[in-house]
Structure formats: structure tokens, C-alpha cells
Amino acid sequence: MKTFTVSLSLITLLLITTTAVFFSSDQAWSDEDGDRSVFWDLSSLKRPGVAPVSNDLYQQECGSCHMAYPPGLLPGASWRNMMETLDNHFGENAELAESTRTELLSYLLKNAAEVSDYRRSQKITRSLAEGEIVDRITSVPYFIRKHDEIPRRFVVDNPKVGSFSQCNACHQNAAKGSFNEDEVSIPGVGYWHD
Ligand code: HEC
Ligand code: HEC
């Protein structure tokens, strides 16, 4: 009788252990980036994507030549540098009246990647080395890692895209702050996944 009880509890223990191992290693538990995460990883509860633009003045002033980039795509230090050199903005003059400039800078800093609770913004921040300041989104290590296998003919040599800066050419819901890879459609190519 005693042996029976012992083996029964042993079997139960084995069952519990295998169940636990099964769940914690379950391949299905990966987030939208395909990054493996275990089921108790609280990051999966964070808001996906980046916060969409919520400032009309910003939308108007910074959305005329390209999409108005959500502030959560770059850290504050990068925005600060950019807003101080608008007279030579990637070869263009994007200067603003001083009052507009300071208002937009304050909007950008309040919503920059490192203060955002959106998951994509946090990945951008984490991918940068301590003290590293990039001058553009497309130079962020996280961005580079996500796009390094896309052939040039789909981007620079594709007249409907032109450059990686045109996020919304491929990411259908970029303006909503969603960059999920399932919502990508490259013009002339369609859905693409490496
Ligand atoms: C006169 C046109 C013009 C205006 C206005 C303008 N930009 Fe740009 N912006 C550009 C060009 C051109 C590039 C470079 C695009 C490329 O390399 O293909 C660029 C690039 C950028 C990038 C880098 C994108 C990347 O490749 O990572 C950011 C961020 C950016 N702009 C933010 C802003 C902000 C913020 C404002 C408003 C203060 C603004 N832009 C206003 C023309 C403009
Ligand atoms: C030429 C089309 C194209 C452009 C332009 C582009 N992307 Fe992408 N992006 C892709 C593709 C394709 C993937 C999926 C890559 C893969 O499957 O590995 C992707 C993946 C991503 C991811 C990761 C998505 C995920 O679910 O893991 C993010 C974030 C992202 N892009 C942001 C941006 C931002 C921000 C810009 C603009 C500065 C941009 N992309 C411009 C095509 C593009």
C-alpha cells in the first residue's frame, strides 16, 4: 500500500513537471516580433506597436514631405538633435518658427521612445548602446535588424518606395503606429517575409 502511494505521488509529480516544462517552452509563446518569450513574461501584456501621432501641429508641419513619424520611433536625444538642425534636415530646409519648433520638440520629448510604454518603442530603446545617439530611425539597430534581408530592388530601386524612410509605403498601418510584419505589403511585391 505504501509503495503504491509513493509511486502515485511520483507519477503526479512527473505530470506536473512535464506540464510546466511543456508550457514554458511552448513555441507558440512568441510575441509579434517572433522573439521567444515564456508565458509569464509580462512584456507580452504591454501595448504593441508605437503610439500613433496625437498632435495636429506636428502632423501638419512634419507630415508634408514624408509620413509624420510617431515620436516613439526615436529616443529624445535624437529628436533634440534633429530639431536643432532643421535648416539642414537631410539636405532639405525644414526650418520652423521658434515657437512652433519648441512646441513640437516638447511634444516629441514627452512621447519619445524611452518614455513610452509601447513595446516597439521599448525595443528601439533597448537596441541602442548606452549613450548611442542615432540621427534617424533607419539607423536604429532594431530597425536594421528587422530590414537587413529585404533586397534593394524592393526599396531603393523600387520607384513606389524610394527609401526605407517611407515606412507607410510598405507598412499599411504605419500611421496607426502598427508595424506588425503580417500587415506589410511591399508595392509591386506584396506580402514579404524573410
Ligand atoms: C521639406 C521637407 C521635409 C520636412 C518639412 C520635414 N522633413 Fe523629415 N525628412 C525629409 C527628407 C528628405 C528626409 C530623408 C528621407 C530619405 O532619406 O529618404 C527626412 C527624414 C526624416 C527622418 C528620418 C527618417 C529615417 O530615414 O529614419 C525623420 C525622423 C524626420 N525626417 C522627421 C521630421 C520631423 C520631426 C519634421 C518636422 C519638424 C520633418 N521631418 C519635416 C524632408 C522633410
Ligand atoms: C520596403 C518596404 C519597407 C519599408 C519602407 C519599411 N519597412 Fe519595416 N518591414 C518591412 C518588412 C518586409 C518587414 C518584415 C521583415 C521580416 O519578415 O523579417 C518589416 C518589419 C518591420 C518591423 C518589425 C515587425 C515585426 O512584426 O517584427 C518594424 C518595427 C518595422 N518594420 C518598422 C519600420 C519603420 C519604422 C519604417 C520606416 C522608418 C519601416 N519599417 C520601413 C518592410 C518595410
Side-chain angles (χ1 to χ4, degrees):
M1 185 62 198
K2 194 159 176 216
T3 339
F4 177 73
T5 320
V6 168
S7 37
L8 202 70
S9 39
L10 262 174
I11 288 168
T12 316
L13 199 74
L14 203 75
L15 245 145
I16 293 170
T17 324
T18 38
T19 314
V21 167
F22 173 78
F23 275 111
S24 59
S25 67
D26 192 348
Q27 306 238 337
W29 282 103
S30 61
D31 69 7
E32 65 192 306
D33 269 351
D35 293 346
R36 203 64 59 75
S37 63
V38 285
F39 70 94
W40 57 79
D41 183 352
L42 289 174
S43 77
S44 57
L45 300 173
K46 278 183 203 136
R47 301 200 265 181
V50 297
V53 169
S54 59
N55 180 302
D56 290 342
L57 186 63
Y58 178 80
Q59 180 68 52
Q60 200 183 309
E61 298 291 351
C62 302
S64 53
C65 297
H66 43 66
M67 73 173 287
Y69 299 109
L73 288 175
L74 276 179
S78 300
W79 288 125
R80 195 182 287 282
N81 284 352
M82 191 177 289
M83 296 303 279
E84 274 163 12
T85 53
L86 285 177
D87 57 330
N88 183 7
H89 177 76
F90 304 97
E92 302 270 341
N93 186 342
E95 265 185 306
L96 296 167
E98 184 54 18
S99 58
T100 311
R101 192 189 73 85
T102 45
E103 187 175 336
L104 296 186
L105 176 60
S106 118
Y107 165 66
L108 287 166
L109 296 180
K110 269 186 210 136
N111 296 279
E114 74 274 26
V115 292
S116 172
D117 63 350
Y118 280 75
R119 190 161 52 202
R120 214 62 96 177
S121 294
Q122 300 187 343
K123 292 195 172 187
I124 286 169
T125 310
R126 275 206 300 270
S127 79
L128 289 158
E130 182 89 34
E132 181 181 5
I133 303 174
V134 287
D135 65 345
R136 55 200 300 166
I137 304 157
T138 48
S139 297
V140 171
Y142 173 70
F143 179 94
I144 297 169
R145 177 157 57 83
K146 287 291 175 181
H147 297 88
D148 64 354
E149 280 171 45
I150 304 173
R152 194 188 153 85
R153 64 179 191 281
F154 292 175
V155 194
V156 192
D157 302 336
N158 183 343
K160 292 197 181 107
V161 182
S163 85
F164 270 122
S165 308
Q166 310 303 322
C167 319
N168 51 330
C170 304
H171 292 277
Q172 308 304 304
N173 296 313
K176 291 183 200 149
S178 175
F179 292 93
N180 198 305
E181 59 188 7
D182 299 333
E183 297 161 1
V184 171
S185 179
I186 305 177
V189 181
Y191 177 76
W192 190 87
H193 198 296
D194 62 24

